[in-house]
Amino acid sequence: MRGGMAKGNMERAASGETFIFRRPTIGVLTPVAALGAVFIILLTASPLLNLFIAALAAGSRGLSSLLSGSVPTLLAKTLLLATLATLWALLLGVPPAWILTRTDLPGRRLFRVLGLLPLAIPPYIGALTYITLLGPVGPVNKAYQAMGGSGQLVNIYGLWGGVLVLGLFTYPYILLLAGSALESSNPAMEEAARAAGHGPMGIFVRVTLPLLRPSLLAGSLLVFLYALSDFAAVSFLRVTTFTTEIYHQLNTRFDQRGAAALSAVLVLLTLLVLVAQRKNLGRRSFVQRRSGAKPPTIYPLGHWKVPALICTYLVLGGSVFLPIALLLYQAGSAATIFQTLASGHRYLWNSLWTAAVAATAATVLALFVSYLIDRRKGPVGLLLTAATQLGYAIPGTVLGLSLILLYNTYVPWIYGTAAMVVLGYLLRYLPQAVQGSAAALSQVDPNLEEAARGLGRSSWQALREVTIPLIRPGMVAGWTLVFISSIKELAATLLLRPAGFDTLPVRIWIATIEVDFAVAASTSLILIATTALPLFLIRRLDSGISQLD
Amino acid sequence: MTEVIRLEGVSKRYGGGGIAAIQEISLVVGKGEIVALLGPSGCGKTTTLRLIAGFEVPDGGSIEIGGRIVANERIFVPAERRGVGMVFQDYALFPHLTARENVAFGLHNWDAERSGKRIEEALDLVGLSELEGRYSYELSGGQQQRVALARALAPSPQVVLLDEPFSNLDADMRAQMRQDVHRILRQAGTTAIFVTHDQEEALMIADRVGVLNQGRLEQIDQPDVIYHTPATRFVARFVGSADFIPGLVQGEGIVTELGTFPNQQGLPSGQAVEVMIRPDDIELVADLAGEATVVTRHFRGSDNLYCVQLPSGRTVHSSQGSTRIVESGARIAVKTDPTHVVCFYEDDTTR
């Protein structure tokens, strides 16, 4: 042993005798890290800043006419739509979340996976299917007329159609968040309530629901923000909201400043919601996820089994089975789908590569950002967090517009290339990647990196050999989320794409406008397939992660 | 004695010149020595360890490892180039690597044959050769610690630093691991510094114990010296327990209510002092006419700790055998015969 030691020492003396001088730091950051942080903040914040400048440049006259005219009604309509859609999504999401996690419903595991499927169906495709079903010439209205009714039984166009569709295709956010909160909640609390003499109903109302509040709030926020930002579904359903109005200003009236002013109002609205949410969460602490503890109580359904099954089937039916069946019906035959795929493979390719590049770039940036935020506390981290969360506050239409305004003016050679599309995806969905790697990173003990450094690795090597292998599942999950979101993105793509650069969503948009529903439906099916696959992979990974700890 | 570690006047502040974590710490550790840094939480012992390891940058002073300056006001050698092994409180085993791969982690620059041999040696030393294929979650706390130790020792570092190495273990496991770690470190001939808040641990394992209080090194010496002749009141109280009774120096003796003690330190006559009395220095003699009264008795398993009130109203503690029972309220005589008389000036709060 001693012999080995002496040799080791000599080797060390030979290799490591260099003097190393104290490195300069800017606050707690090395110059490279500081430069990177500045770059990311510039990249993420500049479009929005420029947008506000453009909005102000519209002048007080233009602004005041805008504010006195359409804006108040537009605001009321948009808020009403978002609120109703959120309530509808809560109604659709909470009961199945409870039934699927806390009861002995047969097949609940399969249902939980299927319950995620609507996330793979973008609401604009959902809108298409419901227009097919409930539109003026859809089977429902035709049957009604055949039975002697006059006019329409239901009118899918307008506010209620928008509410119906947005809720149906966003409730999985609530199902997911409420479901995992229900699964990880401490059974001791419910047992305490039971010991105090409450039945299952009383326990749900008095204990479970209040404990669910943070996750319900978070889920509702996602739905609400989605409804505020949605462009394509509401366009198809002919609901006028901020986003459709911005698009209208931009594409038919060519009024960039008016569009910028409207966008600024919408962004402020979104930021307001986000700040309110932050404050709310700040006062209450998050429900801590426990691992390895007792699983929650499972209630036997007894004679409630049939109603519970019907409830689950109704929700899934309306959001998964029915839309897919309608799409298949619209597409006509497998031959149509293959034909669409064969003639339009370059649209698929465009979708795939832009989303993949954006997801990869987002993952790399997210690793850097989450590392700085997690390991170097301080103002830089806060600023970076805020900057990278901006994507949440920017609807696709607004992001498209602000990027056009900024890059057309200052970097015209990027404008009009597919890079703009990638950039749009990157900025819009960077928060998802940051969340993925930040969550994973917070699970990694900083001691592990120090241990690696004590064993002769530089910080960079420690990151590569220890940290990255450990957070890989989180990074992959983040990548997949960005990829899925990007591949579905329509509004930003419409605005940012170079002429003739069509992606799958753009094809669906064009086909719908051209009333070619067979192509729209078969392209939709291709798009759903491309997003469903990674969604299932991520689900597998998720269970892999929970097995690890 | 060859020097391995030398700290000179090392200081560290946290939060932009705010609270001093450690102040002017000087310390020399010789080759093959095992030194314990002992102190209550927040005394700066872990900070000292992290400064030596290179995870913190000192604000003042200099640190030398193996005769090479690794930190002073101009130079800072990062952790990965210091040749220091570290065992973390929670072991910090890489969860994505097996026990063997963990041990191999520090040998990335060695050629395959030598590193293979070295890994075997290290695993053998900690007695884990059979479990080399396991991941950390498949190992018990004690086994994880052995892997951590093997990993730290494998690259033959000049010094191994251990941060509260036994605090995450159950009581019975802890006693076993103390012995094992001590044996392993001795067998490897490694210089080691470990941090602990457990005095028993420090006294048992270390060749020398350094006691830290509020960022200052109050005393560093052999365990028995620390125990018998503490340099400060803090050390006297923190290492073992102690009562202090007033006394007056009169020539060759120090007169107290427990009798006259020899004036070993040669203090000037007329000096008012406080004499440190350990519970095991006090003998209780059955005497119905005794002047002291038993106040309480705490049975501690291996002994009984008595609290005894002296005629002056002052109380002192006495440790008696576990079978020696004296009822509370009993009159008793107190005899004391300390081998080391430790006095502190009465008006000085530290000495």
Side-chain angles (χ1 to χ4, degrees):
Chain A
M1 208 66 196
R2 273 180 184 272
M5 211 179 118
K7 242 192 259 169
N9 281 347
M10 271 164 59
E11 194 174 75
R12 202 167 289 282
S15 66
E17 211 32 85
T18 42
F19 280 96
I20 292 134
F21 294 95
R22 286 192 174 205
R23 282 190 289 175
T25 53
I26 301 167
V28 290
L29 299 178
T30 59
V32 178
L35 215 66
V38 168
F39 169 74
I40 289 174
I41 291 171
L42 267 181
L43 187 75
T44 49
S46 60
L48 214 54
L49 276 179
N50 191 55
L51 176 80
F52 279 103
I53 292 167
L56 291 177
S60 55
R61 205 155 48 86
L63 211 62
S64 65
S65 74
L66 203 68
L67 287 174
S68 60
S70 55
V71 167
T73 24
L74 208 53
L75 196 64
K77 267 187 187 171
T78 310
L79 285 177
L80 186 65
L81 173 80
T83 310
L84 289 174
T86 307
L87 290 175
W88 174 225
L90 278 170
L91 201 65
L92 286 170
V94 175
W98 191 80
I99 291 171
L100 295 181
T101 51
R102 307 301 294 277
T103 71
D104 60 349
L105 187 79
R108 56 185 187 277
R109 290 191 149 194
L110 180 67
F111 281 130
R112 282 194 74 182
V113 178
L114 289 178
L116 294 179
L117 258 184
L119 285 181
I121 306 177
Y124 54 87
I125 294 181
L128 282 183
T129 63
Y130 275 89
I131 290 170
T132 310
L133 183 70
L134 305 175
V137 292
V140 172
N141 280 320
K142 273 195 174 158
Y144 175 67
Q145 283 154 10
M147 288 192 309
S150 63
Q152 287 184 35
L153 177 66
V154 281
N155 178 17
I156 187 67
Y157 294 119
L159 176 71
W160 292 106
V163 171
L164 172 81
V165 168
L166 287 180
L168 262 176
F169 294 92
T170 51
Y171 83 85
Y173 290 124
I174 287 166
L175 175 65
L176 255 174
L177 290 170
S180 68
L182 279 168
E183 219 170 24
S184 59
S185 70
N186 190 346
M189 300 200 186
E190 287 177 21
E191 281 164 6
R194 200 189 297 186
H198 290 288
M201 207 53 208
I203 293 173
F204 183 78
V205 173
R206 284 166 168 258
V207 179
T208 317
L209 212 54
L211 284 174
L212 267 185
R213 241 172 57 185
S215 55
L216 289 185
L217 209 70
S220 306
L221 182 83
L222 284 175
V223 174
F224 191 85
L225 289 181
Y226 186 86
L228 280 188
S229 71
D230 181 73
F231 161 72
V234 290
S235 301
F236 289 159
L237 293 164
R238 302 183 193 163
V239 193
T240 312
T241 66
F242 263 101
T243 53
T244 59
E245 194 54 27
I246 293 165
Y247 189 76
H248 176 64
Q249 294 274 347
L250 203 60
N251 260 33
T252 48
R253 300 181 55 187
F254 304 103
D255 180 2
Q256 286 196 342
R257 284 179 174 173
L262 281 177
S263 299
V265 177
L266 181 54
V267 169
L268 286 177
L269 185 64
T270 317
L271 282 176
L272 212 67
V273 177
L274 276 174
V275 168
Q277 141 94 356
R278 271 284 139 85
K279 279 216 154 141
N280 204 321
L281 275 185
R283 257 183 277 127
R284 235 171 311 238
S285 61
F286 276 100
V287 175
Q288 197 62 49
R289 217 193 144 86
R290 311 156 311 123
S291 59
K294 243 179 88 178
T297 324
I298 300 287
Y299 296 98
L301 278 170
H303 54 269
W304 285 97
K305 196 167 279 173
V306 174
L309 264 179
I310 290 176
C311 162
T312 314
Y313 272 119
L314 272 181
V315 173
L316 284 177
S319 59
V320 182
F321 304 138
L322 188 65
I324 292 188
L326 284 167
L327 285 175
L328 288 170
Y329 166 77
Q330 277 285 321
S333 62
T336 330
I337 300 174
F338 280 117
Q339 206 186 335
T340 313
L341 193 58
S343 63
H345 61 87
R346 69 173 184 283
Y347 311 133
L348 175 63
W349 170 241
N350 284 344
S351 277
L352 285 176
W353 81 257
T354 47
V357 171
T360 309
T363 308
V364 173
L365 286 188
L367 175 66
F368 176 77
V369 168
S370 54
Y371 192 82
L372 278 192
I373 293 172
D374 196 84
R375 299 290 194 255
R376 308 265 191 283
K377 316 276 182 218
V380 187
L382 282 178
L383 209 62
L384 265 179
T385 315
T388 48
Q389 298 297 314
L390 276 179
Y392 275 141
I394 316 181
T397 338
V398 176
L399 181 70
L401 170 67
S402 32
L403 283 176
I404 291 171
L405 289 177
L406 182 69
Y407 283 76
N408 201 8
T409 318
Y410 298 104
V411 214
W413 50 272
I414 294 184
Y415 183 72
T417 67
M420 286 296 282
V421 177
V422 173
L423 192 64
Y425 297 162
L426 170 66
L427 294 189
R428 180 113 207 263
Y429 299 116
L430 183 61
Q432 297 179 344
V434 172
Q435 261 182 352
S437 55
L441 201 61
S442 67
Q443 302 284 316
V444 177
D445 191 344
N447 271 355
L448 290 177
E449 282 157 30
E450 289 185 345
R453 296 196 47 208
L455 294 164
R457 302 298 201 279
S458 64
S459 331
W460 170 241
Q461 286 170 321
L463 181 70
R464 220 182 46 204
E465 290 178 47
V466 175
T467 315
I468 291 181
L470 288 174
I471 65 169
R472 193 175 289 145
M475 288 173 71
V476 171
W479 189 94
T480 317
L481 278 178
V482 177
F483 179 80
I484 291 174
S485 304
S486 303
I487 214 164
K488 293 193 302 191
E489 174 65 44
L490 175 56
T493 321
L494 271 180
L495 290 173
L496 292 171
R497 74 204 172 107
F501 187 86
D502 293 358
T503 61
L504 293 177
V506 172
R507 287 313 297 171
I508 296 169
W509 170 262
I510 293 172
T512 309
I513 288 175
E514 291 172 353
V515 210
D516 189 349
F517 285 121
V519 169
S522 42
T523 312
S524 297
L525 284 169
I526 295 167
L527 180 60
I528 290 170
T530 16
T531 47
L533 202 68
L535 205 63
F536 279 111
L537 286 180
I538 211 179
R539 175 94 192 149
R540 288 277 300 278
L541 267 170
D542 220 25
S543 51
I545 295 168
S546 39
Q547 265 166 21
L548 246 180
D549 54 44
Chain B
M1 184 177 80
T2 329
E3 257 177 51
V4 174
I5 300 277
R6 173 179 283 272
L7 267 65
E8 259 176 71
V10 175
S11 300
K12 173 75 185 172
R13 291 172 180 285
Y14 283 121
I19 315 134
I22 64 167
Q23 300 175 52
E24 304 267 325
I25 286 197
S26 297
L27 170 70
V28 175
V29 180
K31 192 165 161 52
E33 224 188 345
I34 300 176
V35 169
L37 295 179
L38 174 68
S41 62
C43 70
K45 54 194 192 299
T46 296
T47 303
T48 310
L49 208 67
R50 293 174 58 80
L51 282 163
I52 299 171
F55 298 133
E56 306 280 352
V57 183
D59 293 320
S62 72
I63 302 172
E64 281 176 40
I65 298 177
R68 175 170 79 125
I69 292 178
V70 293
N72 63 17
E73 62 282 353
R74 280 177 303 109
I75 294 163
F76 182 76
V77 178
E80 62 267 27
R81 303 178 73 164
R82 288 196 180 185
V84 165
M86 180 102 182
V87 176
F88 291 85
Q89 187 169 4
D90 55 3
Y91 320 131
L93 294 183
F94 304 123
H96 60 305
L97 302 179
T98 62
R100 187 190 173 87
E101 287 165 342
N102 263 286
V103 175
F105 197 88
L107 305 176
H108 55 303
N109 288 334
W110 293 36
D111 63 63
E113 193 194 335
R114 275 186 59 222
S115 82
K117 236 180 88 191
R118 182 68 190 147
I119 295 164
E120 304 297 333
E121 268 178 17
L123 283 168
D124 231 29
L125 186 70
V126 299
L128 275 186
S129 301
E130 265 114 73
L131 304 179
E132 61 168 35
R134 293 214 184 160
Y135 288 91
S136 55
Y137 62 88
E138 298 173 309
L139 297 169
S140 71
Q143 290 165 340
Q144 287 186 34
Q145 170 151 61
R146 285 163 200 266
V147 177
L149 193 58
R151 181 178 73 180
L153 288 172
S156 309
Q158 306 199 53
V159 60
V160 174
L161 308 173
L162 304 98
D163 186 8
E164 298 271 3
F166 309 106
S167 62
N168 277 352
L169 297 171
D170 297 335
D172 51 340
M173 194 67 198
R174 197 178 303 155
Q176 177 65 40
M177 280 310 291
R178 270 182 202 158
Q179 288 182 14
D180 288 359
V181 168
H182 186 244
R183 175 187 58 78
I184 292 164
L185 289 175
R186 277 278 183 268
Q187 217 171 319
T190 314
T191 311
I193 301 178
F194 77 100
V195 149
T196 180
H197 62 270
D198 184 333
Q199 41 150 323
E200 195 182 310
E201 206 163 280
L203 298 176
M204 260 178 74
I205 304 176
D207 298 320
R208 281 192 302 149
V209 176
V211 183
L212 278 97
N213 180 33
Q214 295 180 348
R216 290 181 188 281
L217 186 60
E218 299 229 333
Q219 187 177 11
I220 177 161
D221 221 317
Q222 285 154 9
D224 56 330
V225 177
I226 294 273
Y227 184 80
H228 290 305
T229 54
T232 66
R233 276 174 215 265
F234 175 81
V235 175
R237 284 211 187 87
F238 194 76
V239 182
S241 45
D243 292 305
F244 297 92
I245 56 169
L248 190 68
V249 181
Q250 291 187 344
E252 295 298 301
I254 302 167
V255 181
T256 73
E257 84 180 284
L258 288 176
T260 304
F261 301 115
N263 179 7
Q264 289 166 340
Q265 287 153 294
L267 300 169
S269 262
Q271 175 68 48
V273 293
E274 285 197 327
V275 181
M276 177 189 85
I277 305 286
R278 298 273 192 208
D280 42 353
D281 289 334
I282 294 189
E283 187 59 40
L284 299 183
V285 182
D287 183 355
L288 292 175
E291 291 188 308
T293 319
V294 172
V295 183
T296 56
R297 174 176 69 93
H298 287 292
F299 181 61
R300 301 197 297 186
S302 58
D303 67 342
N304 280 297
L305 182 69
Y306 286 94
C307 179
V308 179
Q309 190 168 40
L310 302 178
S312 64
R314 194 175 297 278
T315 56
V316 292
H317 293 82
S318 167
S319 162
Q320 299 294 318
S322 64
T323 52
R324 173 91 194 272
I325 310 288
V326 183
E327 291 310 316
S328 293
R331 312 277 304 171
I332 206 152
V334 173
K335 237 182 80 183
T336 172
D337 183 22
T339 40
H340 306 272
V341 179
V342 179
C343 303
F344 300 100
Y345 289 153
E346 207 168 27
D347 49 351
D348 187 337
T349 50
T350 56
R351 284 266 149 197

